[in-house]
Amino acid sequence: MRQVLVPLAIDPSPPPPGSRPLALSGTAMGSAWSARLMLPGGADAELAPALQAELDLVVAQMSHWEPDSLLSRYNRAPAGSWHDLPSPFFEVIDYALSVRQSSGGAYDPAAGALVDLWGFGATKRYDQAGFYAPDAQAIGAVLARRRHAQPLLDRAGRRLLQPGGAVLDLSAVAKGHAVDRLALYLERLGIRHYLVEAGGELRGAGVKGDGQPWWVEIEGVPDAAADTDAAAAATEQPLLALHGLAVATSGDYRRFYRQQAGGRISHTLDPRSGRPIANGVASCTVIAPTCMAADALSTALTVLGPRDGLALAERDGIAARFLVRAATADTGLSAITSSAWRALLQ
């Protein structure tokens, strides 16, 4: 039987009389975005440019692909320089640093040098000629530099110190923040019934015109084979009523390459060891009130693995599901869920 998850608190208010469905879409951050909403009667339907501007702002501030972004300029800045932060950047880095602390460093927004080292950055990528996976000496050198190059956030002054050599990468939190910006923009216009998405991460509120919630299918693992009944159950993805909630999934199948011996090199790196994860987690999905939280936490829990990650989820009341690969093969999955996740099951 397929699992169905619904929020613990439901607002039964329908869309205002005269509302009509509207679908919008575009591209940003190297991916597609979309918005489906119930537009109140008389409201302006030309929303796409404004929503695109919300996403473009995130790119201008937080992209590690754009050389002129605020993040890129910070990464190149000299040691000892302080950088005033606009509100969006401040909100994201403040939250990212809090997740670094709560996860014991399993997530670190200043792990950009590791991302580059393993070929997942903007240059010297793993899919380009001449790339070689780093050896232990190179990894150790990057870890040593990072220990002495942690950014310092002055919360009162809303500014960030570049200690010299700190390399930010906000990929695991900025996309979720971008989804939240779409949602909050619609809410500022009085639009309370919507589903917004960017790069597979979603946030929804209210209901559709027929009174049904915005049903979404939890992302699965496309390269997993369902050889057993347990694996088949794990790969049949639950349905989630995205009503006042957001969802994000981190997975080892999204970007990876293989060593000559056949081992999978995932883009999800453990900042503590400096190496790609090898804990069997194929994916981790988190359901949270904001997409920024779901985004960052799904990455942190993926790195922590099914034992320590589940312990953190139970400690902090995080609704999380791990899909874990079989130890003996790259096929077959088992599902592990937190108490907060099971509380959403109907």
Side-chain angles (χ1 to χ4, degrees), residues 98-115:
S98 74
V99 175
R100 182 184 70 180
Q101 181 175 4
S102 68
S103 68
Y107 167 73
D108 187 351
L114 279 175
V115 175

Side-chain angles (χ1 to χ4, degrees), residues 7 55 58 60 69 74 102 191 204 210 232 250 255 265 286 298 303 317 329 343:
L55 299 173
V58 176
S69 71
Y74 171 87
S102 68
I191 298 171
D210 59 3
S250 178
R255 281 183 292 153
I265 303 297
V286 168
S298 64
V303 172

Side-chain angles (χ1 to χ4, degrees), residues 256-345:
F256 69 93
Y257 57 93
R258 293 189 181 275
Q259 293 177 313
Q260 289 184 346
R264 181 190 298 257
I265 303 297
S266 169
H267 79 285
T268 303
L269 306 174
D270 186 339
R272 301 165 300 178
S273 69
R275 297 179 179 274
I277 60 168
N279 54 21
V281 175
S283 76
C284 178
T285 298
V286 168
I287 302 169
T290 70
C291 203
M292 179 170 68
D295 193 5
L297 291 172
S298 64
T299 299
L301 296 181
T302 296
V303 172
L304 286 169
R307 185 189 66 182
D308 293 342
L310 183 62
L312 177 61
E314 296 293 359
R315 186 194 77 189
D316 292 352
I318 301 167
R321 182 187 71 155
F322 301 84
L323 293 183
V324 183
R325 296 185 188 275
T328 56
D330 218 19
T331 58
L333 299 171
S334 60
I336 300 172
T337 58
S338 68
S339 298
W341 179 282
R342 295 191 295 274
L344 301 174
L345 291 172

Side-chain angles (χ1 to χ4, degrees), residues 98-192:
S98 74
V99 175
R100 182 184 70 180
Q101 181 175 4
S102 68
S103 68
Y107 167 73
D108 187 351
L114 279 175
V115 175
D116 295 339
L117 184 68
W118 283 96
F120 295 109
T123 61
K124 299 181 180 179
R125 292 180 52 79
Y126 68 89
D127 52 1
Q128 295 176 343
F131 173 80
Y132 294 93
D135 58 20
Q137 183 177 2
I139 297 168
V142 168
L143 290 178
R145 286 196 299 270
R146 197 178 88 240
R147 281 194 294 270
H148 297 94
Q150 281 294 328
L152 176 64
L153 182 63
D154 173 11
R155 290 180 171 84
R158 289 181 172 253
R159 57 181 187 156
L160 189 67
L161 174 67
Q162 169 57 272
V167 183
L168 296 179
D169 185 333
L170 299 178
S171 300
V173 65
K175 189 181 295 181
H177 170 75
V179 172
D180 289 336
R181 291 192 68 86
L182 296 179
L184 295 176
Y185 180 82
L186 294 176
E187 292 185 2
R188 288 197 298 271
L189 298 180
I191 298 171
R192 306 291 179 182

